Amino acid sequence: MTKSVVNGGSTSHSELKSVVVQDQTFALNGKDVSYRFHIDEATGDIVSDHFGGTVTESYGKPLNLGGGGWSTHEHIRREFPNQGCGDFRSPAVRIKQAGGFTVSDFKYVSHEVVNGKPGLPGLPATFGGDEEVTTLVVRLHDSVSSIQVDLSYSIFPAHNAIARSSTVKNMSDKEVTVDKLASFSTDLPYDEYEMLQLQGEWVRECTRIRRKVDYGTQGFGSANGYSSHFNNPFLSLVKPTTSETQGDTWGFSLIYTGSFAAEVERTPQGLTRVLVGMNENQLSWPLKPGESLTSPECVSIFTPNGIGDMSRKFHRLYRQNLITSRFVNEPRPALLNSWEGLFFDFDESTIYKLAQDAAKLGVKLFVLDDGWFGVKYPRIDDHAGLGDWEVNPARFPQGLKSIADKIRQLEITEFSKAQSLPSIMQFGIWVEPEMINRNSTLHDEHPDWVLSAGQYPRTETRNQLVLNLALPDVQEFIIESMTKLLRSAPITYVKWDNNRGMHESPCPSNFHAYILGLYRVLKELTTRFPDVLWEGCASGGGRFDPGMLHYFPQSWTSDNTDALDRIQIQFGTSVVYPASSMGAHVGAVPYELTGRSTPVRFRAHVAMMGGSFGLELDPAHIPDEDRTQLPELIALAEKVNPIIVRGDMWRLRLPGDSNFPAALFVSEDGSEAVLFLFQIRTVPVHNFPILRLEGLDSTATYRVDGHGPYSGATLMNGGIQYKFQGDYDSKVMLIERL
Ligand code: GLA
């Protein structure tokens, strides 16, 4: 790497270049963010100077606090902390050398600034043209171990976003093992912070948890091999006074689908360290001489304007610079998925009847969920068939193409032609390609493909085992069996499920090797089939992460279709992920798991806040009065869908805080908006709140649901009051700028 100084110092705020390098001081500047660090002359270490609102120069040298006898490093804010130099905090990197040492001493060697953003080998990552993103790579070297590290920082100025990853290269002549490698590591100055995370479980994904960052280490992560339902790979730090609409907010989102760790450590001296990356307990990555390991990328966004603004910045960045699918900004067809309507209990005639009923309601995509495959070991329940991706001839005697063709010929009854989508029924299918049942021909032929650890028991969950995607043969099998399936019938949508965690693994590094194998498979299949709308799923939102979104533009948000729970889950998911990426369906009531019944209008209004709206019921088995409302509700979902998919979301009132949750979606050009209002329960003889809108132009005039005109100022400062009636009442208002 050549040592270069690019974009030399400019100091006027408006003229700040995105990367400024001067005298071994580095500045990354976005619209409202500056990220600065410098090289310590004496040690060659990288010292963090600032991560927050815009600054135009470094503010002198850090105060020298002396440190006393024990804390030699604890007052230093470090960018890439190692182990063994007297920094007693958690390190960003730990490498075991041939001699057993885990000490390292990385010093600055050189840097390079490149326009645009190079890809990461084998990993999903943000991307962008030269005008959108600039990358600074800082090279470090440990002369004792001969190990080199490249820290890569890519700044997307329009989004206030910095994507960081690190690459370790073994330049020695002996094998070493990387035991820990953070994607993002930085030390924030002494201050009071709170941390926000998205925690949950199956059917309870993405609950917002906010707590004080206290002295000591607090963190979370996942260990089940995937990003998981338990903790989303996302962390935010905020000031205690930060709210949805104002205050300093730092977000860290890891583009990774495997086990991860987020550590926040406040030391007795007061600094706060943030480390985000792969779970170190499942790494131990061997590096032969000349080999390298690149960490996944972590995107950090700073905004002074609160949690809502951080979310909108993530949404835009992820829609524009992460998701590769051509469907990312496309309106999605209203679908009907067979799962909750029929579960495993169907054959060709019941499926066709379900599709006919769907067509009569205005549905445009019929999805055949679990239970359609398996010849020798038919999948008629969850004990058999995974791995055998051939249609079950007992259920579909004429084959998959025949039923798909029949469904595609169904005439769709449209309540109103709300979208420009063609009125041809599409056909989609469910698969779970990373899994295998013992009862399958695949298992008969390849028991060795099961993820396992020698003679240790192969524990089953939902009667299934995991295939070891670290093996190239398994990757090939999945690529070829899915290719064959997709070429066998006119399939335009695939729901790719994954219903258990990894238990036994042959060695720690296999966890990451599996994820690299998975990414290879996803890249190959999405490249081969760019016109398929792919949806991720892992028993709901168990893999709702930016790594999967790079390949699949949407994910099934939760197996929970209880609309009240769903408001919470979807609002939580929207802290990082755009509405366009959420699958949200109307289920039947009472909902099995909660026993709760909500009106069909309420269920549909909640579901249409997701980019991929659908039904998850058998229309023949719901009350007539619900069924008769569905065509109009589907038409409304289709009408608002382009704004949901491409617009900005404003969480006006949060479900956890208010009996009246509300959200506003504003189209990118601001000309249209759609407002969702909900009342959870009636409070008798009580007034209704006034809802002040956000995100409009105060000087423009708008019509609200045909009423008005009102100025943006009136709507944002005066607000709207709606008279709800009864429990689970809801209202959708269409807003247009005049
Ligand atoms: C998982 C998914 C469901 C459904 C079933 C089928 O639970 O999350 O939506 O597809 O698998 O077995």
Side-chain angles (χ1 to χ4, degrees), residues 322-324 544-555 577-578 581:
L322 174 72
I323 300 171
T324 50
F544 208 128
D545 63 63
M548 292 304 289
L549 284 183
H550 182 69
Y551 306 98
F552 296 169
Q554 63 188 54
S555 175
Y577 307 103
S581 63

Side-chain angles (χ1 to χ4, degrees), residues 202 337 339-340 344 369-371 379 382 430 432 462 495 497-499 537-541 556 558-559 616:
W202 172 66
N337 178 299
W339 181 243
E340 286 184 26
F344 283 112
D369 207 280
D370 200 354
R379 185 150 172 98
D382 62 16
W430 176 98
E432 196 180 357
R462 208 195 187 205
K495 175 177 170 188
D497 210 340
N498 178 74
N499 284 313
C537 175
S539 310
W556 179 224
S558 176
D559 275 353
E616 187 95 14

Side-chain angles (χ1 to χ4, degrees), residues 541-687:
R543 282 202 315 201
F544 208 128
D545 63 63
M548 292 304 289
L549 284 183
H550 182 69
Y551 306 98
F552 296 169
Q554 63 188 54
S555 175
W556 179 224
T557 313
S558 176
D559 275 353
N560 188 338
T561 50
D562 177 318
L564 182 58
D565 288 351
R566 265 299 187 127
I567 302 183
Q568 183 103 27
I569 293 168
Q570 290 172 206
F571 271 53
T573 305
S574 78
V575 169
V576 195
Y577 307 103
S580 66
S581 63
M582 288 185 225
H585 302 173
V586 178
V589 290
Y591 176 61
E592 199 191 347
L593 287 172
T594 58
R596 192 178 288 131
S597 290
T598 51
V600 70
R601 212 165 77 108
F602 184 84
R603 278 175 273 153
H605 287 168
V606 172
M608 55 184 87
M609 291 191 295
S612 178
F613 170 90
L615 307 182
E616 187 95 14
L617 45 76
D618 181 349
H621 289 103
I622 59 171
D624 289 347
E625 76 232 47
D626 284 6
R627 191 173 43 252
T628 50
Q629 290 182 62
L630 278 174
E632 195 177 344
L633 289 165
I634 291 171
L636 179 62
E638 291 198 335
K639 186 169 184 180
V640 301
N641 189 256
I643 305 173
I644 305 296
V645 166
R646 301 182 195 130
D648 282 326
M649 179 186 187
W650 302 76
R651 292 180 295 262
L652 300 178
R653 268 197 305 250
L654 301 182
D657 297 351
S658 171
N659 187 38
F660 305 94
L664 180 72
F665 294 82
V666 182
S667 67
E668 261 185 307
D669 65 0
S671 65
E672 290 175 289
V674 51
L675 175 64
F676 291 87
L677 303 169
F678 301 97
Q679 165 172 278
I680 310 300
R681 63 183 185 92
T682 302
V683 183
V685 206
H686 199 289
N687 220 314

Side-chain angles (χ1 to χ4, degrees), residues 182-249:
S183 298
F184 211 105
S185 49
T186 194
D187 288 338
L188 295 173
Y190 169 56
D191 210 336
E192 297 302 318
Y193 302 100
E194 291 182 353
M195 59 189 269
L196 179 74
Q197 70 189 85
L198 300 173
Q199 183 243 50
E201 239 292 8
W202 172 66
V203 298
R204 205 156 38 73
E205 295 89 339
C206 285
T207 307
R208 283 168 78 140
I209 306 284
R210 183 166 167 170
R211 55 180 150 142
K212 178 180 162 64
V213 172
D214 219 327
Y215 288 96
T217 302
Q218 42 255 279
F220 57 88
S222 76
N224 66 20
Y226 304 111
S227 46
S228 91
H229 297 86
F230 303 159
N231 290 296
N232 200 271
F234 164 78
L235 159 75
S236 173
L237 290 192
V238 294
K239 300 301 298 295
T241 50
T242 296
S243 67
E244 277 288 299
T245 50
Q246 61 80 33
D248 285 356
T249 309

